[in-house]
Amino acid sequence: MSDDTSNPIVVMERVNKYFGSLHVLQDVDLSVDPGEVIVIIGASGSGKSTLIRCINGLEPFQGGAIEVDDHRLVPDGGGRSALQAIRTEVGMVFQQFNLFPHRKVLDNITLAPVKVRGWSWERATENAQRLLERVGIADQADKYPSQLSGGQQQRVAIARSLAMEPRVMLFDEPTSALDPEMIGEVLDVMRELAREGMTMLVVTHEMGFAREVAHRAIYIHGGRIVEQGRPEAVFDNPQNERTQAFLSRVLKH
């Protein structure tokens, strides 16, 4: 694991991804520095979620290469040892919380560090309790996911990802399944992670959050990155006509 913060922690080189004949990602180049927060925006079907799912190997890709912390992935799942290393270093939070419904909150968080990292139950439990406090739900450890609100479940999902001590966190529209009053509590946790220097790639429609927290905003259309820059530049003065059209629709609501 490299400690050299001058080197990018994530690099995508001309990545291409197909679903059958559908060309979902087209020659995507992206470099992410340690501690950088990147927000990815675009219409449904533009390739946003596919892009971040390729980074941690959830989706195989058919052209180019992806490197995470010097571990290199090549097309169609090549480099199995690299894939395993990347999955331990990259946390992911989904739209749906994907918690184990039959396990209590504490068990949901301790399972992966014990099974994957080989931690003792004592160490994993102590870490899980600390993380639950960090995300503001220390009093929910002995409950089952069904006993929690959607916002609480998503905070458990974030704690579960953090329990693996990832170097990069991926968020795939983490607030889209939440009731409006629960969105803020999840965004607050993400703001705190950003302040602490976590490297984050966030697919979101929360434009206020993007403007406030992101170092860079990326707009994707048709599987291509068509515009990127500081959030205030992208949102207030977009240069690409497709970005202009998208933001004119989104920012009116």
Side-chain angles (χ1 to χ4, degrees):
M1 184 182 296
S2 172
D3 289 322
D4 185 358
T5 56
S6 65
N7 294 326
I9 193 168
V10 177
V11 178
M12 304 181 78
E13 303 169 353
R14 297 185 65 83
V15 171
N16 284 271
K17 164 72 181 175
Y18 295 85
F19 288 120
S21 60
L22 186 62
H23 200 172
V24 183
L25 295 179
Q26 303 187 42
D27 292 328
V28 170
D29 288 314
L30 178 63
S31 179
V32 183
D33 291 330
E36 190 174 14
V37 178
I38 292 180
V39 167
I40 303 169
I41 61 172
S44 293
S46 60
K48 309 183 300 296
S49 296
T50 301
L51 186 154
I52 64 169
R53 289 171 68 90
C54 285
I55 290 174
N56 70 344
L58 279 177
E59 289 287 354
F61 54 97
Q62 288 77 45
I66 297 174
E67 202 167 280
V68 181
D69 200 25
D70 298 327
H71 302 293
R72 191 172 179 84
L73 278 181
V74 291
D76 289 320
R80 185 159 298 278
S81 63
L83 181 61
Q84 291 173 334
I86 286 171
R87 285 183 173 168
T88 62
E89 293 192 18
V90 178
M92 182 147 185
V93 178
F94 301 88
Q95 296 178 39
Q96 304 299 333
F97 322 120
N98 291 3
L99 301 174
F100 296 116
H102 61 291
R103 290 186 177 272
K104 292 182 178 180
V105 164
L106 195 67
D107 294 334
N108 266 279
I109 299 171
T110 55
L111 206 59
V114 170
K115 290 187 174 294
V116 178
R117 290 218 183 267
W119 289 10
S120 67
W121 280 108
E122 291 77 14
R123 180 183 176 187
T125 299
E126 184 179 319
N127 187 52
Q129 290 169 333
R130 179 181 59 81
L131 288 169
L132 285 172
E133 190 167 333
R134 184 177 176 184
V135 300
I137 48 173
D139 57 341
Q140 307 297 320
D142 290 326
K143 291 186 177 178
Y144 290 95
S146 62
Q147 297 174 290
L148 305 183
S149 70
Q152 289 172 326
Q153 289 186 61
Q154 192 61 294
R155 284 185 281 166
V156 173
I158 293 172
R160 181 180 61 180
S161 290
L162 291 173
M164 288 290 287
E165 298 187 339
R167 300 205 63 209
V168 179
M169 286 284 284
L170 309 175
F171 294 86
D172 187 5
E173 299 192 24
T175 59
S176 66
L178 299 179
D179 292 332
E181 66 270 19
M182 296 175 186
I183 290 172
E185 60 192 48
V186 172
L187 294 180
D188 283 344
V189 173
M190 295 170 66
R191 287 186 184 97
E192 188 61 31
L193 288 176
R195 282 193 290 267
E196 293 170 0
M198 175 64 74
T199 307
M200 299 163 61
L201 288 91
V202 185
V203 174
T204 187
H205 295 294
E206 301 292 336
M207 298 301 171
F209 169 83
R211 185 188 291 268
E212 174 191 351
V213 175
H215 299 106
R216 190 170 13 144
I218 290 175
Y219 173 66
I220 294 184
H221 178 83
R224 294 182 184 274
I225 296 175
V226 299
E227 187 156 357
Q228 60 181 306
R230 297 285 302 175
E232 58 270 22
V234 172
F235 292 145
D236 297 339
N237 189 28
Q239 300 302 300
N240 186 282
E241 62 182 19
R242 295 190 184 279
T243 318
Q244 294 168 5
F246 172 76
L247 289 172
S248 70
R249 293 193 305 270
V250 171
L251 296 178
K252 283 178 182 176
H253 301 288

